[in-house]
Amino acid sequence: MVLTARLRSAVALAGRYPVLAGTDLDVTAGEVLVLKGPNGAGKTSILRVLAGLLPLSAGDAEVLGLDPTADARALRPLVGLLGHQNGLYDDLTAEQNVRFVARAARRSPDVVPSALERLGFGGRLRGAPAGKLSAGQRRRLAIACVLAKGPRLWLLDEPHAGLDVEHRELLDDLLREVAAGGSSVVLASHEQHATVRLADRVVTMAGGLVLDGVIVAGQPPGTPAPSCPDVPRAEVTNVA
Amino acid sequence: MWRDAALVAGKDLRVEGRAKVAVNQVAPYALVVLLLFGFAFDQDRPLLVQAAPGLFWMAVLFSGLLAVQRSFSIESADGAIDALRLSRLEPAGIFIGKVVAVAAQLVVLEALLAFGVVVLFQSRLGGAGLLVASTLVSTAGVAAAGVAYGALCVGLRARETLLPLLLSPVLAPVVLAATEAWRAALGLSRGDGWRWLGILACFAAIYLAGGAIGFGALIEET
């Protein structure tokens, strides 16, 4: 089992407030891991730690073989982060936004049309300024930007927010493809949809800690789960 | 680095080309400032002519603050600054790109303001070589310091008020030297304008080098 990311007793602070309070987490290559938990549980913070944007104050971490605090500059180009905000330029067109991300990631211009096409941006929509798009379209465009970047680790914060049923399924298909290709996907979501249809593994967080690691097929919710590293991927399936 | 700079400058100028904030808001504001200076000194026309270089550079300073704020508001509005930090772009390249974009807007603005100075203050523009050289070097200094301090303030809650407070004192030497260089170019003083240009070049070089070296750390702090 190849680990994409590993956190041990990870502590991260926002000012003096601990947003992660000694968290352990493993992410294996090719899995879709869903983080669940109430507001303020630390889901977004864990994504930012994995992206190398939020430094650890204590504990150990390794993401794609790099220390996300010490090697943040080297790590960041390898991950794709979709946060609460979309990271778009309102005055650039959909195509210009994706093209900028692709060029900034040193990727071939060929990835731009395919990323736009994959997320449903065809025809005139490509030439529309991002500021004129609906909330769902903006979300899709932000995902197209992540796709164009071609990261090895996808970090998505509520990626389904604002998407209609058709595009939720489109996103699910995309993320399954990404995982099947060997990249890992970690997504924070409140939505049952993501847990049911997408997750290889679900982790519940509260108060900056991972409470229970894994939901295994056939176990009712609330059953104590084995620790993350010990669960063979074959035993982990979607949760109904 | 230069490729990254060209990419960022192109992006910022494309954003500005569509939004037209510099054309529709900053330029009219700069002209209004110039007009208000004209009203304030209207009773003393010779004094107005004498003070024209200083008033010109004060108008550039005020407008430059708006251009710098705009340059970073496009990064912070939808969290694009994180995407920049997660990209492969060199921080120095991002810095140079933003400086180029801000400077390009300021040069256009300065041409407009120079026209305003001639029309409103009845100044006679002369000493073209010194005038153009000092304007370009000063613009580089204003843009470099502005982008560095803009990056410092981008994540702060009170950035709109903090940026002018922090940046204005830093730009004081540039405004002073640029004013003196212009006064010499326009024949309003006997000072050596080229010496002031040398001082301006030193400040511009310091701000450019400091910004290029420190920009990575500055955007980390946001």
Side-chain angles (χ1 to χ4, degrees), chain A residues 48 76 87 89 91 103 149, chain B residues 18 75 78 82 86 220:
Chain A
R48 292 181 72 79
R76 289 172 184 172
Y89 296 101
D91 295 302
R103 289 187 67 188
K149 187 180 178 185
Chain B
R18 189 179 293 272
E75 305 297 348
D78 195 27
D82 274 349
L86 289 167
E220 283 305 304

Side-chain angles (χ1 to χ4, degrees), chain A residues 48 51 53 73 76-79 81 85-89 91-93 96 100 103-106 129 138 149, chain B residues 3-4 7 11 14-15 18-19 70 74-80 82 84-89 216-217 220:
Chain A
R48 292 181 72 79
L53 289 174
R73 289 267 171 83
R76 289 172 184 172
L78 307 177
V79 305
L81 174 68
Q85 293 177 299
N86 293 310
L88 301 173
Y89 296 101
D91 295 302
L92 295 185
T93 66
Q96 286 170 336
F100 177 73
R103 289 187 67 188
R106 312 264 197 273
R138 289 172 64 84
K149 187 180 178 185
Chain B
R3 177 196 166 281
D4 295 347
L7 183 62
K11 183 263 295 175
R14 208 166 284 128
V15 166
R18 189 179 293 272
R70 168 71 184 159
I74 63 172
E75 305 297 348
S76 59
D78 195 27
D82 274 349
L84 282 185
R85 292 164 71 192
L86 289 167
S87 72
R88 289 186 189 274
L89 298 173
E220 283 305 304

Side-chain angles (χ1 to χ4, degrees), chain B residues 132-144:
Chain B
V132 170
S134 62
T135 301
L136 292 178
V137 174
S138 307
T139 303
V142 170

Side-chain angles (χ1 to χ4, degrees), chain A residues 17-219:
Chain A
Y17 178 77
V19 287
L20 292 184
T23 300
D24 292 342
L25 182 76
D26 285 330
V27 182
T28 58
E31 81 166 335
V32 178
L33 172 66
V34 174
L35 303 174
K36 285 181 67 179
N39 295 331
K43 303 186 296 295
T44 299
S45 300
I46 220 167
L47 294 179
R48 292 181 72 79
V49 165
L50 293 174
L53 289 174
L54 179 62
L56 288 187
S57 301
D60 295 320
E62 190 176 299
V63 181
L64 297 169
L66 299 165
D67 181 330
T69 303
D71 306 321
R73 289 267 171 83
L75 170 64
R76 289 172 184 172
L78 307 177
V79 305
L81 174 68
L82 175 69
H84 289 298
Q85 293 177 299
N86 293 310
L88 301 173
Y89 296 101
D90 284 354
D91 295 302
L92 295 185
T93 66
E95 184 166 359
Q96 286 170 336
N97 268 286
V98 178
R99 192 171 298 282
F100 177 73
V101 170
R103 289 187 67 188
R106 312 264 197 273
R107 298 211 69 204
S108 157
D110 299 341
V111 301
V112 177
S114 58
L116 285 164
E117 199 67 45
R118 190 71 174 81
L119 270 298
F121 281 87
R124 294 174 61 185
L125 205 52
R126 289 184 185 191
K132 302 285 185 193
L133 300 176
S134 71
Q137 288 171 330
R138 289 172 64 84
R139 204 64 177 158
R140 276 194 285 134
L141 181 57
I143 296 163
C145 288
V146 176
L147 179 61
K149 187 180 178 185
R152 288 170 59 193
L153 174 60
W154 289 55
L155 304 166
L156 310 173
D157 204 348
E158 301 289 353
H160 296 92
L163 298 186
D164 56 30
V165 174
E166 179 193 349
H167 290 110
R168 281 168 179 241
E169 289 175 2
L170 187 149
L171 174 60
D172 292 349
D173 291 344
L174 171 67
L175 296 181
R176 273 192 287 266
E177 271 178 41
V178 162
S183 296
S184 303
V185 180
V186 181
L187 66 97
S189 181
H190 287 294
E191 300 192 28
Q192 191 68 13
H193 164 92
T195 312
V196 173
R197 289 184 51 94
L198 199 55
D200 290 325
R201 196 150 59 93
V202 179
V203 165
T204 305
M205 294 188 69
L209 287 167
V210 169
L211 295 184
D212 55 359
V214 186
I215 299 178
V216 181
Q219 300 282 345

